[in-house]
Amino acid sequence: MLTAETRLVGLIGDPVSHSLSPRMQNAAFAARGLDWAYVPLPVSAPQLEAAVAGLAALGFAGANVTIPHKIAVVAFCDELDPVAERAGSVNTLVVRDGRVLASSTDGPAVAGLVDAEGASVLVLGAGGAAQAVATALLDYGARELAVAGRNVERAHALASRLHALFHEREIRAEETWPPESAATLVVNATPLRDELPFRPSAGQQLVDRAYNVDGRPTALVSAAREAGCERVVDGAEVLVAQGAASFERWTGIPTPVEVMRAAVRSLSS
């Protein structure tokens, strides 16, 4: 039951109706006995600045930020932590003393689920999530990285940004979509679920940030399992990892990770 004392956290994006984050975070709040609630906040691009300012005005404890606002929201935050500043992408907002503090858990979540050291990486997508993931994988020791996107210009822009940060690494943009690559680690940072953006092969590590709300594997996850990929991480597991880090930033207490995982995975049972 919501009361006047309930602390609110929101999900800012467009769209947000498909997200499992409210289900996952509310289960975690309940497990920790917190009078908190997580609510979806559909926000169009022209409303983004007002929405971020409104978090403090309405007494929100914070928010997550999702497609398509992860890069644009940077301009409306009072302070970025080192991870968000380096990535140029934000997915977690904490409201403290009327100020909006920004962080990114997207990249570290993915990097913590794979072995990035010495890897040859292919990142599918060139938006805010791709930018955060690519930066984190290079920070975690990836040897080289390619960016592939349906918008080749955006892929080149992201590759250029990364090259400025990691000028000693081999970083490039793929010229074709869907790409063909012998990368040892492939991350899908696009919202594609039913379309196969890349054909995986045995021995690769494969991470798909996308997920189906009913628990069905995406086309990419199914193909990776059939191909015998060395490691397959689906979008539900990425969601739990990044959401757990956000939870700790808002509440300051340990996350009930297994509760979060059960809340997400129960849809596929």
Side-chain angles (χ1 to χ4, degrees):
M1 180 181 296
L2 301 183
T3 72
E5 303 301 318
T6 302
R7 300 294 309 276
L8 294 177
V9 181
L11 174 63
I12 294 174
D14 186 19
V16 293
S17 59
H18 69 285
S19 177
L20 293 180
S21 287
R23 176 189 183 98
M24 179 181 71
Q25 295 289 359
N26 284 321
F29 293 150
R32 287 290 186 251
L34 298 175
D35 184 13
W36 287 49
Y38 188 104
V39 295
L41 301 172
V43 175
S44 64
Q47 298 172 320
L48 182 58
E49 181 176 9
V52 174
L55 293 174
L58 293 170
F60 273 66
N64 279 136
V65 182
T66 189
I67 292 173
H69 302 317
K70 294 188 180 192
I71 294 176
V73 75
V74 169
F76 310 128
C77 299
D78 295 305
E79 182 180 330
L80 274 65
D81 73 5
V83 174
E85 186 170 8
R86 187 165 175 78
S89 174
V90 164
N91 81 326
T92 303
L93 305 176
V94 178
V95 180
R96 186 173 300 142
D97 298 327
R99 303 179 74 243
V100 178
L101 314 178
S103 184
S104 176
T105 66
D106 281 329
V110 170
L113 293 169
V114 296
D115 182 6
E117 182 70 33
S120 171
V121 177
L122 172 64
V123 174
L124 305 171
Q131 189 162 300
V133 167
T135 304
L137 291 174
L138 289 164
D139 277 334
Y140 276 62
R143 174 173 50 85
E144 60 181 10
L145 185 142
V147 181
R150 289 168 289 181
N151 185 320
V152 177
E153 289 185 3
R154 290 185 68 184
H156 275 282
L158 176 51
S160 295
R161 185 184 193 281
L162 294 169
H163 191 267
L165 289 173
F166 304 94
H167 53 82
E168 76 285 0
R169 315 281 180 89
E170 182 181 340
I171 298 169
R172 67 186 187 280
E174 296 285 352
E175 299 294 338
T176 60
W177 181 270
E180 294 184 5
S181 172
T184 59
L185 169 58
V186 180
V187 180
N188 177 34
T190 79
L192 297 176
R193 297 172 177 82
D194 299 322
E195 177 183 336
L196 193 60
F198 174 82
R199 188 160 297 281
S201 59
Q204 290 177 320
Q205 299 181 80
L206 188 287
V207 181
D208 194 353
R209 294 190 75 262
Y211 61 84
N212 287 309
V213 295
D214 61 3
R216 291 180 299 109
T218 62
L220 184 56
V221 166
S222 293
R225 289 171 177 165
E226 291 173 6
C229 283
E230 175 185 322
R231 182 177 302 178
V232 180
V233 181
D234 66 12
E237 198 59 30
V238 176
L239 179 69
V240 170
Q242 62 88 12
S246 294
F247 180 97
E248 291 190 4
R249 282 165 172 76
W250 298 320
T251 67
I253 63 177
T255 307
V257 175
E258 289 305 320
V259 170
M260 282 188 160
R261 183 173 289 114
V264 173
R265 296 292 185 187
S266 64
L267 295 178
S268 58
S269 61

